[in-house]
Amino acid sequence: MTFADMRNVLRSGTLPVFVLAMFFHGFFMGGMNNWVNYYVGTTLNSSLGSTALSFMFTGVLLARFLMPYTGIKPEKLIRYAGLAAAAVLLAVLPFSNGLVVCIGIAVSCFCFGAMIPCMLNVACAETKESTLMATSLMMLALYLGQGI
């Protein structure tokens, strides 16, 4: 693959959108890593701060394991999972019970937990000529987003 081929891959299709989406996904997850423990532990005055973080990653893990068995197409999950996760998170935040918030966080993370594998899957299907470049750019964007 030449540099001209790489430029063409980047200019066509949805790869630039996926790279940007991965950056913001990393930014969101990095923020959640810090915020969840603080919010549940300090703001809600609960001893479940670290438990909330465990619930968060349990939701993500379950989503990634169960996604292949749901029958939901990756494109559909990418389109609607973020909205569903945001709705669940916004619905649970007004509660002052730490356990309810932990469960809501787990459900929210379950909604969008399979987002990264689905975005990688769709991007690779659309850039068959350069899946290495597509995944490398997307994962770099994810890590940069998490680092901010």
Side-chain angles (χ1 to χ4, degrees):
M1 176 173 267
T2 66
F3 284 114
D5 293 334
M6 286 191 270
R7 202 170 341 147
N8 289 336
V9 168
L10 284 172
R11 287 184 181 162
S12 64
T14 58
L15 183 59
V17 174
F18 281 126
V19 169
L20 192 61
M22 288 288 268
F23 174 81
F24 285 115
H25 188 77
F27 184 75
F28 174 74
M29 285 300 291
M32 284 285 287
N33 279 334
N34 294 318
W35 173 80
V36 163
N37 191 2
Y38 178 80
Y39 178 76
V40 174
T42 306
T43 305
L44 297 182
N45 211 10
S46 172
S47 62
L48 298 173
S50 59
T51 304
L53 200 56
S54 296
F55 274 51
M56 181 178 115
F57 284 108
T58 299
V60 170
L61 182 69
L62 287 174
R64 290 181 184 177
F65 278 133
L66 297 176
M67 172 59 191
Y69 304 106
T70 64
I72 299 171
K73 297 213 179 281
E75 296 86 354
K76 195 173 203 174
L77 185 125
I78 292 168
R79 199 172 297 130
Y80 299 113
L83 295 173
V88 170
L89 194 58
L90 289 173
V92 78
L93 287 180
F95 289 91
S96 59
N97 183 324
L99 183 60
V100 171
V101 173
C102 285
I103 292 169
I105 288 168
V107 172
S108 175
C109 290
F110 179 78
C111 290
F112 75 82
M115 194 84 97
I116 292 172
C118 287
M119 284 194 284
L120 290 169
N121 182 16
V122 173
C124 286
E126 290 182 2
T127 57
K128 289 181 177 136
E129 68 278 4
S130 184
T131 58
L132 179 62
M133 185 179 72
T135 56
S136 296
L137 289 172
M138 291 172 68
M139 294 308 294
L140 178 63
L142 177 77
Y143 299 142
L144 288 172
Q146 285 177 336
I148 290 180

